[in-house]
mmCIF file of all heavy atoms in Angstrom:
data_model
loop_
_atom_site.group_PDB
_atom_site.id
_atom_site.type_symbol
_atom_site.label_atom_id
_atom_site.label_comp_id
_atom_site.label_asym_id
_atom_site.label_seq_id
_atom_site.Cartn_x
_atom_site.Cartn_y
_atom_site.Cartn_z
ATOM 1 N N SER J 1 0.834 -1.215 -0.002
ATOM 2 C CA SER J 1 -0.006 0.005 0.012
ATOM 3 C C SER J 1 0.874 1.260 -0.003
ATOM 4 O O SER J 1 0.531 2.239 -0.673
ATOM 5 C CB SER J 1 -0.931 0.022 1.227
ATOM 6 O OG SER J 1 -1.831 -1.079 1.192
ATOM 7 N N TYR J 2 1.949 1.224 0.765
ATOM 8 C CA TYR J 2 2.877 2.386 0.789
ATOM 9 C C TYR J 2 3.451 2.608 -0.605
ATOM 10 O O TYR J 2 3.534 3.756 -1.092
ATOM 11 C CB TYR J 2 4.012 2.150 1.781
ATOM 12 C CG TYR J 2 3.604 2.241 3.231
ATOM 13 C CD1 TYR J 2 4.360 1.603 4.223
ATOM 14 C CD2 TYR J 2 2.485 2.972 3.630
ATOM 15 C CE1 TYR J 2 4.019 1.684 5.562
ATOM 16 C CE2 TYR J 2 2.133 3.055 4.990
ATOM 17 C CZ TYR J 2 2.911 2.407 5.944
ATOM 18 O OH TYR J 2 2.556 2.493 7.259
ATOM 19 N N LEU J 3 3.874 1.534 -1.266
ATOM 20 C CA LEU J 3 4.468 1.668 -2.602
ATOM 21 C C LEU J 3 3.419 2.179 -3.614
ATOM 22 O O LEU J 3 3.707 3.015 -4.436
ATOM 23 C CB LEU J 3 5.027 0.318 -3.034
ATOM 24 C CG LEU J 3 5.685 0.309 -4.420
ATOM 25 C CD1 LEU J 3 6.890 1.261 -4.488
ATOM 26 C CD2 LEU J 3 6.139 -1.107 -4.787
ATOM 27 N N LEU J 4 2.212 1.625 -3.520
ATOM 28 C CA LEU J 4 1.161 2.042 -4.454
ATOM 29 C C LEU J 4 0.837 3.509 -4.275
ATOM 30 O O LEU J 4 0.617 4.244 -5.259
ATOM 31 C CB LEU J 4 -0.102 1.190 -4.209
ATOM 32 C CG LEU J 4 -1.307 1.509 -5.062
ATOM 33 C CD1 LEU J 4 -0.994 1.334 -6.549
ATOM 34 C CD2 LEU J 4 -2.514 0.634 -4.679
ATOM 35 N N MET J 5 0.792 3.984 -3.032
ATOM 36 C CA MET J 5 0.518 5.399 -2.765
ATOM 37 C C MET J 5 1.626 6.273 -3.332
ATOM 38 O O MET J 5 1.373 7.324 -3.949
ATOM 39 C CB MET J 5 0.345 5.657 -1.265
ATOM 40 C CG MET J 5 0.064 7.136 -0.938
ATOM 41 S SD MET J 5 -1.557 7.649 -1.510
ATOM 42 C CE MET J 5 -2.595 7.086 -0.147
ATOM 43 N N ALA J 6 2.864 5.878 -3.116
ATOM 44 C CA ALA J 6 3.999 6.650 -3.626
ATOM 45 C C ALA J 6 3.975 6.775 -5.151
ATOM 46 O O ALA J 6 4.108 7.883 -5.701
ATOM 47 C CB ALA J 6 5.306 6.024 -3.187
ATOM 48 N N VAL J 7 3.776 5.646 -5.831
ATOM 49 C CA VAL J 7 3.778 5.651 -7.291
ATOM 50 C C VAL J 7 2.553 6.365 -7.873
ATOM 51 O O VAL J 7 2.693 7.205 -8.778
ATOM 52 C CB VAL J 7 3.846 4.220 -7.819
ATOM 53 C CG1 VAL J 7 3.719 4.178 -9.347
ATOM 54 C CG2 VAL J 7 5.158 3.547 -7.386
ATOM 55 N N SER J 8 1.370 6.087 -7.315
ATOM 56 C CA SER J 8 0.147 6.720 -7.837
ATOM 57 C C SER J 8 0.160 8.219 -7.589
ATOM 58 O O SER J 8 -0.240 8.995 -8.441
ATOM 59 C CB SER J 8 -1.069 6.083 -7.146
ATOM 60 O OG SER J 8 -1.196 4.736 -7.475
ATOM 61 N N GLY J 9 0.653 8.647 -6.399
ATOM 62 C CA GLY J 9 0.710 10.060 -6.130
ATOM 63 C C GLY J 9 1.666 10.790 -7.043
ATOM 64 O O GLY J 9 1.385 11.908 -7.500
ATOM 65 N N THR J 10 2.818 10.179 -7.317
ATOM 66 C CA THR J 10 3.804 10.748 -8.232
ATOM 67 C C THR J 10 3.208 10.895 -9.633
ATOM 68 O O THR J 10 3.355 11.935 -10.287
ATOM 69 C CB THR J 10 5.075 9.891 -8.272
ATOM 70 O OG1 THR J 10 5.621 9.801 -6.942
ATOM 71 C CG2 THR J 10 6.117 10.539 -9.201
ATOM 72 N N CYS J 11 2.546 9.848 -10.094
ATOM 73 C CA CYS J 11 1.930 9.904 -11.427
ATOM 74 C C CYS J 11 0.819 10.943 -11.471
ATOM 75 O O CYS J 11 0.607 11.610 -12.497
ATOM 76 C CB CYS J 11 1.365 8.535 -11.811
ATOM 77 S SG CYS J 11 2.660 7.271 -12.078
ATOM 78 N N THR J 12 0.079 11.094 -10.390
ATOM 79 C CA THR J 12 -0.979 12.114 -10.318
ATOM 80 C C THR J 12 -0.392 13.509 -10.559
ATOM 81 O O THR J 12 -0.953 14.320 -11.284
ATOM 82 C CB THR J 12 -1.690 12.084 -8.968
ATOM 83 O OG1 THR J 12 -2.291 10.794 -8.759
ATOM 84 C CG2 THR J 12 -2.774 13.143 -8.896
ATOM 85 N N ALA J 13 0.740 13.777 -9.912
ATOM 86 C CA ALA J 13 1.369 15.092 -10.029
ATOM 87 C C ALA J 13 1.801 15.399 -11.468
ATOM 88 O O ALA J 13 1.846 16.567 -11.857
ATOM 89 C CB ALA J 13 2.587 15.168 -9.115
ATOM 90 N N PHE J 14 2.067 14.373 -12.264
ATOM 91 C CA PHE J 14 2.525 14.592 -13.649
ATOM 92 C C PHE J 14 1.443 14.274 -14.668
ATOM 93 O O PHE J 14 1.741 14.131 -15.865
ATOM 94 C CB PHE J 14 3.781 13.768 -13.922
ATOM 95 C CG PHE J 14 4.975 14.179 -13.146
ATOM 96 C CD1 PHE J 14 5.376 13.512 -11.999
ATOM 97 C CD2 PHE J 14 5.749 15.293 -13.560
ATOM 98 C CE1 PHE J 14 6.492 13.914 -11.279
ATOM 99 C CE2 PHE J 14 6.838 15.718 -12.835
ATOM 100 C CZ PHE J 14 7.213 15.025 -11.673
ATOM 101 N N SER J 15 0.189 14.201 -14.228
ATOM 102 C CA SER J 15 -0.909 13.902 -15.142
ATOM 103 C C SER J 15 -1.061 14.973 -16.204
ATOM 104 O O SER J 15 -0.987 16.175 -15.911
ATOM 105 C CB SER J 15 -2.237 13.772 -14.368
ATOM 106 O OG SER J 15 -2.171 12.718 -13.440
ATOM 107 N N SER J 16 -1.272 14.548 -17.442
ATOM 108 C CA SER J 16 -1.416 15.513 -18.561
ATOM 109 C C SER J 16 -2.864 15.774 -18.937
ATOM 110 O O SER J 16 -3.139 16.613 -19.771
ATOM 111 C CB SER J 16 -0.650 14.977 -19.783
ATOM 112 O OG SER J 16 -1.179 13.693 -20.175
ATOM 113 N N SER J 17 -3.791 15.058 -18.298
ATOM 114 C CA SER J 17 -5.217 15.255 -18.593
ATOM 115 C C SER J 17 -6.018 14.920 -17.343
ATOM 116 O O SER J 17 -5.525 14.278 -16.429
ATOM 117 C CB SER J 17 -5.667 14.361 -19.763
ATOM 118 O OG SER J 17 -5.617 12.991 -19.387
ATOM 119 N N PHE J 18 -7.266 15.380 -17.340
ATOM 120 C CA PHE J 18 -8.131 15.130 -16.204
ATOM 121 C C PHE J 18 -8.430 13.634 -16.061
ATOM 122 O O PHE J 18 -8.551 13.110 -14.961
ATOM 123 C CB PHE J 18 -9.434 15.913 -16.336
ATOM 124 C CG PHE J 18 -10.380 15.708 -15.180
ATOM 125 C CD1 PHE J 18 -10.081 16.201 -13.935
ATOM 126 C CD2 PHE J 18 -11.560 15.021 -15.370
ATOM 127 C CE1 PHE J 18 -10.966 16.022 -12.868
ATOM 128 C CE2 PHE J 18 -12.441 14.817 -14.309
ATOM 129 C CZ PHE J 18 -12.136 15.325 -13.045
ATOM 130 N N SER J 19 -8.519 12.938 -17.206
ATOM 131 C CA SER J 19 -8.787 11.485 -17.150
ATOM 132 C C SER J 19 -7.664 10.734 -16.450
ATOM 133 O O SER J 19 -7.885 9.868 -15.617
ATOM 134 C CB SER J 19 -8.981 10.952 -18.576
ATOM 135 O OG SER J 19 -10.073 11.552 -19.206
ATOM 136 N N LEU J 20 -6.403 11.083 -16.801
ATOM 137 C CA LEU J 20 -5.262 10.468 -16.137
ATOM 138 C C LEU J 20 -5.197 10.849 -14.652
ATOM 139 O O LEU J 20 -4.860 10.030 -13.815
ATOM 140 C CB LEU J 20 -3.955 10.856 -16.833
ATOM 141 C CG LEU J 20 -3.709 10.223 -18.205
ATOM 142 C CD1 LEU J 20 -2.419 10.782 -18.816
ATOM 143 C CD2 LEU J 20 -3.607 8.693 -18.074
ATOM 144 N N PHE J 21 -5.548 12.093 -14.368
ATOM 145 C CA PHE J 21 -5.591 12.532 -12.977
ATOM 146 C C PHE J 21 -6.543 11.647 -12.185
ATOM 147 O O PHE J 21 -6.202 11.184 -11.070
ATOM 148 C CB PHE J 21 -6.061 13.997 -12.932
ATOM 149 C CG PHE J 21 -6.329 14.536 -11.543
ATOM 150 C CD1 PHE J 21 -5.277 15.042 -10.791
ATOM 151 C CD2 PHE J 21 -7.601 14.508 -11.014
ATOM 152 C CE1 PHE J 21 -5.515 15.536 -9.499
ATOM 153 C CE2 PHE J 21 -7.867 14.995 -9.750
ATOM 154 C CZ PHE J 21 -6.794 15.522 -8.984
ATOM 155 N N CYS J 22 -7.737 11.399 -12.707
ATOM 156 C CA CYS J 22 -8.712 10.575 -12.024
ATOM 157 C C CYS J 22 -8.216 9.122 -11.867
ATOM 158 O O CYS J 22 -8.390 8.500 -10.834
ATOM 159 C CB CYS J 22 -10.035 10.591 -12.745
ATOM 160 S SG CYS J 22 -10.919 12.172 -12.655
ATOM 161 N N LEU J 23 -7.558 8.619 -12.894
ATOM 162 C CA LEU J 23 -7.047 7.229 -12.859
ATOM 163 C C LEU J 23 -6.034 7.069 -11.745
ATOM 164 O O LEU J 23 -6.104 6.115 -10.953
ATOM 165 C CB LEU J 23 -6.433 6.896 -14.239
ATOM 166 C CG LEU J 23 -5.707 5.532 -14.298
ATOM 167 C CD1 LEU J 23 -6.739 4.400 -14.096
ATOM 168 C CD2 LEU J 23 -5.002 5.376 -15.627
ATOM 169 N N PHE J 24 -5.102 7.966 -11.650
ATOM 170 C CA PHE J 24 -4.055 7.831 -10.639
ATOM 171 C C PHE J 24 -4.572 8.172 -9.236
ATOM 172 O O PHE J 24 -4.106 7.612 -8.259
ATOM 173 C CB PHE J 24 -2.854 8.711 -11.008
ATOM 174 C CG PHE J 24 -2.132 8.264 -12.252
ATOM 175 C CD1 PHE J 24 -1.937 9.171 -13.300
ATOM 176 C CD2 PHE J 24 -1.738 6.962 -12.387
ATOM 177 C CE1 PHE J 24 -1.297 8.734 -14.450
ATOM 178 C CE2 PHE J 24 -1.075 6.515 -13.540
ATOM 179 C CZ PHE J 24 -0.857 7.432 -14.597
ATOM 180 N N ARG J 25 -5.536 9.076 -9.154
ATOM 181 C CA ARG J 25 -6.143 9.345 -7.861
ATOM 182 C C ARG J 25 -6.939 8.129 -7.383
ATOM 183 O O ARG J 25 -7.021 7.867 -6.168
ATOM 184 C CB ARG J 25 -7.096 10.556 -7.955
ATOM 185 C CG ARG J 25 -6.366 11.878 -7.975
ATOM 186 C CD ARG J 25 -5.792 12.232 -6.627
ATOM 187 N NE ARG J 25 -6.815 12.682 -5.700
ATOM 188 C CZ ARG J 25 -6.677 12.783 -4.387
ATOM 189 N NH1 ARG J 25 -5.513 12.454 -3.837
ATOM 190 N NH2 ARG J 25 -7.658 13.194 -3.605
ATOM 191 N N PHE J 26 -7.502 7.367 -8.313
ATOM 192 C CA PHE J 26 -8.169 6.125 -7.940
ATOM 193 C C PHE J 26 -7.170 5.176 -7.286
ATOM 194 O O PHE J 26 -7.462 4.536 -6.287
ATOM 195 C CB PHE J 26 -8.758 5.468 -9.197
ATOM 196 C CG PHE J 26 -9.571 4.247 -8.957
ATOM 197 C CD1 PHE J 26 -10.928 4.320 -8.656
ATOM 198 C CD2 PHE J 26 -8.981 2.975 -9.000
ATOM 199 C CE1 PHE J 26 -11.674 3.162 -8.428
ATOM 200 C CE2 PHE J 26 -9.715 1.839 -8.752
ATOM 201 C CZ PHE J 26 -11.080 1.944 -8.483
ATOM 202 N N GLY J 27 -5.941 5.096 -7.849
ATOM 203 C CA GLY J 27 -4.914 4.295 -7.261
ATOM 204 C C GLY J 27 -4.536 4.786 -5.868
ATOM 205 O O GLY J 27 -4.285 3.983 -4.960
ATOM 206 N N CYS J 28 -4.475 6.087 -5.689
ATOM 207 C CA CYS J 28 -4.176 6.646 -4.362
ATOM 208 C C CYS J 28 -5.267 6.238 -3.361
ATOM 209 O O CYS J 28 -4.979 5.931 -2.203
ATOM 210 C CB CYS J 28 -4.097 8.166 -4.432
ATOM 211 S SG CYS J 28 -2.637 8.791 -5.284
#
C-alpha cells in the first residue's frame, strides 16, 4: 500500500489530462 501510494501520487502530479488525474487518484 505504501508503494502504491507513492507511485500513484507521483503519477498524479505529472498527469497531462483530467482522465489520467482521475485514474491515478483512484490508485491513491
Side-chain angles (χ1 to χ4, degrees):
S1 297
Y2 288 156
L3 180 61
L4 179 60
M5 180 68 84
V7 174
S8 296
T10 302
C11 292
T12 300
F14 292 101
S15 298
S16 58
S17 67
F18 181 69
S19 298
L20 286 176
F21 173 85
C22 290
L23 174 64
F24 295 126
R25 283 287 285 165
F26 185 88
C28 289

